[in-house]
Structure formats: structure tokens, C-alpha cells
Amino acid sequence: DAGITQSPRHKVTETGTPVTLRCHQTENHRYMYWYRQDPGHGLRLIHYSYGVKDTDKGEVSDGYSVSRSKTEDFLLTLESATSSQTSVYFCAISESGGGTYEQYFGPGTRLTVT
Amino acid sequence: AQSVTQLGSHVSVSEGALVLLRCNYSSSVPPYLFWYVQYPNQGLQLLLKYTTGATLVKGINGFEAEFKKSETSFHLTKPSAHMSDAAEYFCAVSDRNGNKLVFGAGTILRVKS
């Protein structure tokens, strides 16, 4: 199994509070991704990173920011959580951005915003 | 823009029966195509992928998929379902840059004994 951990695994927070989710990898892969999973929508890309300090937006980036100061860590921040951000969040990593490279997924973080 | 349509949000088969999960894609350029599986409370795991070459792709756990350009399809099959195949399956497409995957909505496979 690829060495990907996500923390926390479960979190309940109140509307309007800031939340940071962490993804940590031990594979030294260049690309890291944040997705959210919602019923009927599959997985949707929030942000991704193609190197330290290099990030780009995905399909559903509004309300989210990311940072990558080290190869192994990719942080996802909800500046002011809303109920629509209740979801399961998955981190993924990939050796390179070329389409032949597999994305490996972490175990997920279940976030509930009340 | 690329998109993926998975026909049937839920599929139910009997143990030992054929599994057929349908995936159609939309892409303006030749795509890379993937099938992922998600077991309950876990992340996604790659089943198989098509990049170039042979259009019939074999994956793990006895699954295979065929890329049909004329039909813009990449259906997933398995000749004989096993109880352990019960999971959610996602079809995904990326362009040749491959920076981003676009996923279908998923199909939940139920296997009846």
C-alpha cells in the first residue's frame, strides 16, 4: 500500500469555523491532490499540487485553500466552514502528472459541518 | 471539457453471474481511461487503466474493460461475480497531460448469494 495518511479521520465542526485537513505521504511523489466525495457526484477535484509551493485549482475550489511547504505534506483549509462542505475528503498522490501514472488514494477524512 | 457517465447508480447480480458496469466518456482528445474500486470506508484502488495499445485491458481480481472509441465507451466486466466484489466502482478519464482525473458518479455493485 502507498504510504498515505490523512488526519484527522473524522471531524465535526461548527459553521463559520476554520478547518485544516492534512495529507502526509512517504512515497516522495511529486503530485498531490485533494478530492471531495459526495453521493451522486463521485469524486471532484478541489486543488492539486505539482511540487513544493506549486498548486492549482480544480473543479470545486471555491471556499478552499491549500498549501504545500514540504514534499510530503499537503494541507487543505476551509477558511470558514459551511454546511455544504460536509463531505468525505480524499487525498491522492501520483509520481508524475502524466496520464499513465496511477493516483494512489488515502483512507479519507469524514467532515461534518453543523 | 471531459465528462464521464456511468449508467446505473446501483447494479445487483447473483454470485457467479456476469458483471457489467457501463461507462461512457466525452473527450475532445484521445483519453486515458481508468476504473477504480472503493470498498466500504476505504479509499479508492485502481482496478485497471487504458492508455494506448490493446483496447482490451485486464485488471486485478478478474476484471477487464474494453475501450471502444466509436462508442466512446469503457465498460467493465467480470465473467463470474464473487461476494467480495461488492463495492462501489468509479470510471474516470484524464487527458494526455493527465494532471486531472474526472470521475463518474459511481456504480454500487451488490452481489446476491
Side-chain angles (χ1 to χ4, degrees), chain A residues 47-63:
Chain A
H47 282 280
Y48 71 100
S49 169
Y50 47 96
V52 173
K53 299 190 189 304
D54 293 323
T55 64
D56 202 355
K57 296 180 179 180
E59 177 186 359
V60 290
S61 59
D62 288 348

Side-chain angles (χ1 to χ4, degrees), chain A residues 9 31 33 35 37 40-43 45 48 56-58 90 97-107 110, chain B residues 32 34 36 38 41-46 49 51 88 90 94-106:
Chain A
R9 294 293 313 280
Y31 279 71
Y33 307 81
Y35 293 91
Q37 182 180 22
H41 292 277
L43 278 76
L45 182 64
Y48 71 100
D56 202 355
K57 296 180 179 180
F90 285 98
T100 60
Y101 290 91
E102 177 179 352
Q103 289 190 20
Y104 299 91
F105 285 80
R110 183 173 297 276
Chain B
Y32 293 150
F34 305 79
Y36 282 84
Q38 183 181 33
N41 299 313
Q42 294 186 25
L44 277 69
Q45 177 184 2
L46 183 69
K49 65 182 179 183
T51 53
E88 188 163 16
F90 293 94
S94 76
D95 60 25
R96 292 282 154 158
N97 290 327
N99 292 333
K100 305 175 187 178
L101 281 176
V102 175
F103 285 86

Side-chain angles (χ1 to χ4, degrees), chain A residues 70-87:
Chain A
K70 298 185 291 184
T71 298
E72 57 267 34
D73 290 325
F74 192 33
L75 304 181
L76 177 70
T77 297
L78 290 65
E79 301 291 347
S80 178
T82 67
S83 59
S84 64
Q85 294 176 312
T86 292
S87 186

